[in-house]
């Protein structure tokens, strides 16, 4: 399905879900973005009728309960609405991977132009005298997750095929490094967001965790400047570079502390000092280092040395920030 047609169908569904009244075809034409404007010509009228008939048929084929009727006895023509009770799904339980996929779709919706267009349609319906039930409407305001401020510019650059540059702070580096990338796409993997693309400075594909991007990425150059490889699965690239092999990390924790770590740790017994020794397994050692550092002096890493050094580096940076604050 073409993007414009998909956008029009989504806007139509939202408009008809948000009112108990039947909305006539004429009002739909004037309020829902994407339909042929009414310029008084016979050609425009025929184009709208054909488009609207196709859209109604497609919605019904997809199982959308599109109803036809009249709001009152004074109406002179039929209108349309969607029975929300018949349209809503029962409670759905998702696995972690399924939830991540839904989260991706939701995030793209919330940051896309669709939300603004659909909201505009509801405003026009109200202005036309159609009662829009706010308790039935769908939240449409665009929202950007403050936890990943780099998402929007990275996604936009990948969509438009524009070069991207940004500062990137690796956990094993003291200062961020400037990266120049041809962005291929943004991927959700195990609850985190990653940018996949061609690192122009290194001449190889790379994965960048968005939470490590410092500041706002800047797109440059014209749109359509490159094409991602057609045979590359972005999720596989992320899994291969981030997932990696499993690492064993041994820590010592004071009694009664590090409850979050203990939930997925294997007890190894106690120490002479009364601390608990725990073994953790992870495919993301630097992410685990972030978690361990949050416990401060209550947790000490025994092995491996790379994770211990990473935790020390994080705590050192935090201490320095506190001294300069």
């Amino acid at each position: 399905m073409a993007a414009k047609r998909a956008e029009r169908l989504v806007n139509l569904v939202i408009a008809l879900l948000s009112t108990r009244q039947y909305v006539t075809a004429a009002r739909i034409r004037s309020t829902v973005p994407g339909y042929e404007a009414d310029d008084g010509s016979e050609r425009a009228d025929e184009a709208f009728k054909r488009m609207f008939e196709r859209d109604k048929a497609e919605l019904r084929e997809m199982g959308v309960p599109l109803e036809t009727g009249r709001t009152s006895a004074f109406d002179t023509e039929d209108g349309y609405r969607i029975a929300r009770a018949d349209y809503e799904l029962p409670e759905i339980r998702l696995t972690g991977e399924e939830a991540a996929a839904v989260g991706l779709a939701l995030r793209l919706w919330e940051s896309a132009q669709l939300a603004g267009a659909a909201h505009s349609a509801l405003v026009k319906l109200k202005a036309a005298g159609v009662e829009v039930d706010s308790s039935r409407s769908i939240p449409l305001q665009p929202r950007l997750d403050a936890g990943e401020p780099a998402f929007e510019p990275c996604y936009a650059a990948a969509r438009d095929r524009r070069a991207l540059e940004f500062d990137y702070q690796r956990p094993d580096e003291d200062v961020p490094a400037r990266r120049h990338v041809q962005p291929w796409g943004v991927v959700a993997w195990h609850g985190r967001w990653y940018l996949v693309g061609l690192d122009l400075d290194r001449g190889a594909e790379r994965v960048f965790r968005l939470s490590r991007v410092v500041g706002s990425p800047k797109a440059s150059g014209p749109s359509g400047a490159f094409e991602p490889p057609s045979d590359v699965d972005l999720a596989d690239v992320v899994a291969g570079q981030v997932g990696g092999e499993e690492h064993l990390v041994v820590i010592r924790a004071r009694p009664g502390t590090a409850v979050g770590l203990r939930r997925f740790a294997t007890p190894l017994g106690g120490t002479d000092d009364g601390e608990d020794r725990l073994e953790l397994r992870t495919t993301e050692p630097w992410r685990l280092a972030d978690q361990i550092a949050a416990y401060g002096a209550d947790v000490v890493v025994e092995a491996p040395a790379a994770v211990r050094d990473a935790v020390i580096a994080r705590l050192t940076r935090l201490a320095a920030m506190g001294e300069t604050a």
Side-chain angles (χ1 to χ4, degrees):
M1 184 187 299
K4 289 184 178 180
R5 186 177 183 188
E7 178 177 342
R8 186 177 67 250
L9 288 175
V10 170
N11 291 334
L12 177 59
V13 168
I14 291 171
L16 296 183
L17 271 174
S18 301
T19 177
R20 292 187 177 91
Q21 294 177 263
Y22 290 97
V23 183
T24 64
R27 282 182 172 174
I28 289 173
R29 180 181 185 178
S30 63
T31 56
V32 176
Y35 285 113
E36 184 79 18
D38 186 359
D39 60 4
S41 68
E42 185 176 339
R43 184 206 61 81
D45 288 342
E46 289 300 322
F48 165 72
K49 290 177 182 178
R50 289 194 300 269
M51 185 180 296
F52 188 48
E53 288 301 319
R54 288 197 302 267
D55 288 350
K56 288 191 297 180
E58 183 148 0
L59 289 180
R60 286 172 172 141
E61 287 177 4
M62 291 188 293
V64 177
L66 187 64
E67 295 182 339
T68 303
R70 301 185 183 188
T71 303
S72 75
F74 299 100
D75 291 339
T76 58
E77 60 179 299
D78 287 341
Y80 305 88
R81 71 181 183 186
I82 294 174
R84 188 158 188 164
D86 296 332
Y87 185 70
E88 291 177 335
L89 295 173
E91 181 182 359
I92 300 175
R93 298 182 181 276
L94 302 176
T95 66
E97 293 297 324
E98 290 169 339
V102 173
L104 172 60
L106 178 62
R107 180 56 180 277
L108 296 181
W109 159 260
E110 289 171 337
S111 61
Q113 296 293 329
L114 285 173
H119 185 266
S120 175
L122 297 187
V123 172
K124 291 179 179 179
L125 281 176
K126 289 181 181 179
V130 177
E131 179 186 354
V132 175
D133 188 346
S134 59
S135 66
R136 293 160 56 88
S137 62
I138 299 173
L140 300 171
Q141 293 297 331
R143 175 173 61 84
L144 184 61
D145 185 354
E148 297 292 6
F151 179 93
E152 186 71 19
C154 288
Y155 167 73
R159 178 197 62 204
D160 299 337
R161 305 289 189 255
R162 299 181 66 194
L164 193 65
E165 61 178 280
F166 52 86
D167 291 329
Y168 191 70
Q169 178 74 63
R170 287 175 53 88
D172 54 348
E173 295 177 345
D174 294 331
V175 295
R178 177 55 58 97
R179 299 297 182 92
H180 301 84
V181 178
Q182 286 183 352
W184 297 343
V186 179
V187 177
W189 195 81
H190 285 204
R192 293 186 180 271
W193 290 96
Y194 298 87
L195 172 69
V196 181
L198 175 65
D199 189 323
L200 298 175
D201 299 313
R202 292 159 178 77
E205 67 181 24
R206 288 289 187 272
V207 173
F208 304 93
R209 201 168 90 186
L210 294 191
S211 61
R212 292 177 181 160
V213 174
V214 179
S216 181
K218 304 295 183 184
S220 61
S223 298
F226 61 90
E227 282 295 328
S230 58
D231 58 345
V232 171
D233 187 313
L234 301 184
D236 286 346
V237 174
V238 174
Q241 293 197 24
V242 178
E245 61 179 299
E246 189 174 60
H247 297 261
L248 299 181
V249 178
V250 178
I251 63 173
R252 299 196 311 271
R254 291 174 179 172
T257 65
V259 176
L261 296 176
R262 292 175 187 270
R263 291 173 182 167
F264 57 93
T266 301
L268 298 179
T271 67
D272 295 338
D273 297 330
E275 296 178 325
D276 300 320
R277 295 182 72 245
L278 307 167
E279 181 183 77
L280 304 166
R281 297 173 179 268
T282 181
T283 58
E284 299 181 78
W286 308 127
R287 178 183 179 185
L288 180 59
D290 291 336
Q291 296 174 322
I292 293 173
Y295 292 98
D298 289 332
V299 177
V300 176
V301 177
E302 283 191 3
V307 175
R308 180 174 63 247
D309 293 343
V311 172
I312 293 173
R314 286 160 173 72
L315 294 175
T316 301
R317 284 198 297 270
L318 288 174
M321 291 171 59
E323 291 176 358
T324 58

